[in-house]
């Protein structure tokens, strides 16, 4: 595949963010960038990243296969991820995933025949306080069950973009990949999330207020000490008066004969 001029220009912008000689650090956003054009990281995408960074395709492939956010085969506009880890699973995540799998006719990491929806079960989506959760293109839908999960997927099939429980309005996987590559959402301010944090998120803070728990005071204007300054302030540990002899079990080192065998001889 020949990547567009826009993608090539954005690739140069990404590389320019890094110091000279450190361009290899741009690999992660570059992989998101090629995914934003193809919908997955293809062999052509691997070759593009390797060529523009001056590294081997094997080096790029090693990274692309390590992170699950980089898809290695065509993926739908809507990546539906259902958490089936312990907390979410026992609270209904397993049932939600099974209901979606049966309705869509696909299993883990499979895409519907129309190419619109890809389903996957996720080991953890880091939102146990809102369990069970699922995401659509990494935007959260909290406390779902099999019925609400099915309703959500049907809305996507009907061309709707339901509002996530937390975060911005939905965009396609390709549009999300552009943002993950480090470029602003061009849909404008109307998609910026608003509203307070949810009650589970604030539970710890409210308990701390109730019981008067607080962290030690900290002045944000206090300069951070350099490593050498901090090391200079620490006195070196005092040397012991005498070095103790190491413990011994009486056995000689190496493969020499044991004392008891020498005595018998």
């Amino acid at each position: 595949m020949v990547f567009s001029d826009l993608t090539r220009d954005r690739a140069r912008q990404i590389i320019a963010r890094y110091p000279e000689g450190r361009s290899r650090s741009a690999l992660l956003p570059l992989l998101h960038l090629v995914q934003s054009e193809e919908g997955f990281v293809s062999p052509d995408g691997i070759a593009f990243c390797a060529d523009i960074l001056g590294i081997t395709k094997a080096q790029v492939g090693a990274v692309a296969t390590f992170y699950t956010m980089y898809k290695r085969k065509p993926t739908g506009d809507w990546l539906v991820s259902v958490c089936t880890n312990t907390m979410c699973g026992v609270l209904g995540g397993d049932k939600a995933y099974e209901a979606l799998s049966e309705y869509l006719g696909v299993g883990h990491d499979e895409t519907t025949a129309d190419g619109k929806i890809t389903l996957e079960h996720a080991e953890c989506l880091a939102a146990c306080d809102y369990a069970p959760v699922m995401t659509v293109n990494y935007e959260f839908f909290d406390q779902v069950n099999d019925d609400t999960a099915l309703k959500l997927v049907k809305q996507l099939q009907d061309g709707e973009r339901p509002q996530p429980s937390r975060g911005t309005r939905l965009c396609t996987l390709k549009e999300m990949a552009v943002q993950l590559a480090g470029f602003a959402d061009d849909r404008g301010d109307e998609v910026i999330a608003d509203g307070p944090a949810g009650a589970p998120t604030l539970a710890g803070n409210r308990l701390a207020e109730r019981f008067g728990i607080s962290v030690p005071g900290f002045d944000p204007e206090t300069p951070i000490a350099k490593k050498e300054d901090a090391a200079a302030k620490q006195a070196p540990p005092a040397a012991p008066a005498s070095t103790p002899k190491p413990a011994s079990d009486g056995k000689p080192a190496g493969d020499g004969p044991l004392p008891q065998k020498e005595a018998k001889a």
Side-chain angles (χ1 to χ4, degrees):
M1 174 180 178
V2 178
F3 288 90
S4 66
D5 291 339
L6 176 60
T7 294
R8 291 180 178 278
D9 180 61
R10 282 175 166 169
R12 288 189 287 268
Q13 292 180 51
I14 290 172
I15 294 173
R17 298 171 188 165
Y18 298 87
E20 186 177 353
R22 300 293 180 89
S23 62
R24 184 172 175 174
S25 298
L27 178 55
L28 296 182
L30 282 175
L31 286 168
H32 284 300
L33 182 66
V34 296
Q35 187 159 276
S36 74
E37 183 161 342
E38 296 187 285
F40 71 114
V41 179
S42 70
D44 287 337
I46 296 287
F48 174 82
C49 292
D51 180 63
I52 201 168
L53 292 176
I55 57 180
T56 67
K57 289 185 286 187
Q59 289 171 317
V60 177
V63 174
T65 55
F66 182 83
Y67 296 102
T68 59
M69 291 180 77
Y70 302 124
K71 304 306 178 184
R72 300 308 309 279
K73 58 185 179 180
T75 304
D77 290 335
W78 309 109
L79 174 64
V80 177
S81 310
V82 184
C83 184
T84 55
N85 211 334
T86 305
M87 181 69 74
C88 285
V90 299
L91 291 177
D94 287 340
K95 290 183 179 179
Y97 175 81
E98 291 166 3
L100 291 178
S101 179
E102 181 180 355
Y103 171 72
L104 294 171
V106 297
H108 170 64
D109 198 27
E110 294 180 352
T111 302
T112 54
D114 61 4
K116 295 296 183 182
I117 297 177
T118 297
L119 178 67
E120 66 177 9
H121 66 76
E123 282 303 313
C124 183
L125 293 176
C128 300
D129 44 348
Y130 294 96
V133 297
M134 61 183 284
T135 62
V136 177
N137 295 344
Y138 311 116
E139 299 293 352
F140 281 97
F141 291 86
D142 302 330
Q143 298 173 332
V144 298
N145 56 41
D146 48 349
D147 289 332
T148 57
L150 283 171
K151 179 181 177 180
L152 172 61
V153 164
K154 290 176 182 178
Q155 287 179 292
L156 295 173
Q157 290 178 319
D158 291 339
E160 300 178 39
R161 296 195 181 193
Q163 177 64 40
S165 304
R166 296 171 286 128
T168 186
R169 297 183 185 278
L170 289 182
C171 61
T172 66
L173 185 64
K174 289 183 178 180
E175 292 168 339
M176 176 58 71
V178 173
Q179 297 174 49
L180 292 171
F183 297 93
D185 188 338
D186 58 10
R187 293 178 295 167
D189 294 341
E190 69 273 10
V191 297
I192 296 177
D194 56 10
T201 301
L202 298 174
N205 184 62
R206 288 172 176 165
L207 284 172
E209 290 178 345
R210 178 181 173 185
F211 292 101
I213 302 171
S214 63
V215 298
F218 173 73
D219 180 6
E221 300 301 324
T222 302
I224 299 176
K226 296 181 179 179
K227 289 183 178 180
E228 52 268 25
D229 295 337
K233 292 181 180 179
Q234 295 179 353
S242 59
T243 304
K245 293 180 64 177
S248 173
D249 58 3
K251 296 179 180 178
D255 297 324
L258 297 176
Q260 60 268 32
K261 291 187 177 181
E262 287 184 336
K264 289 181 180 179

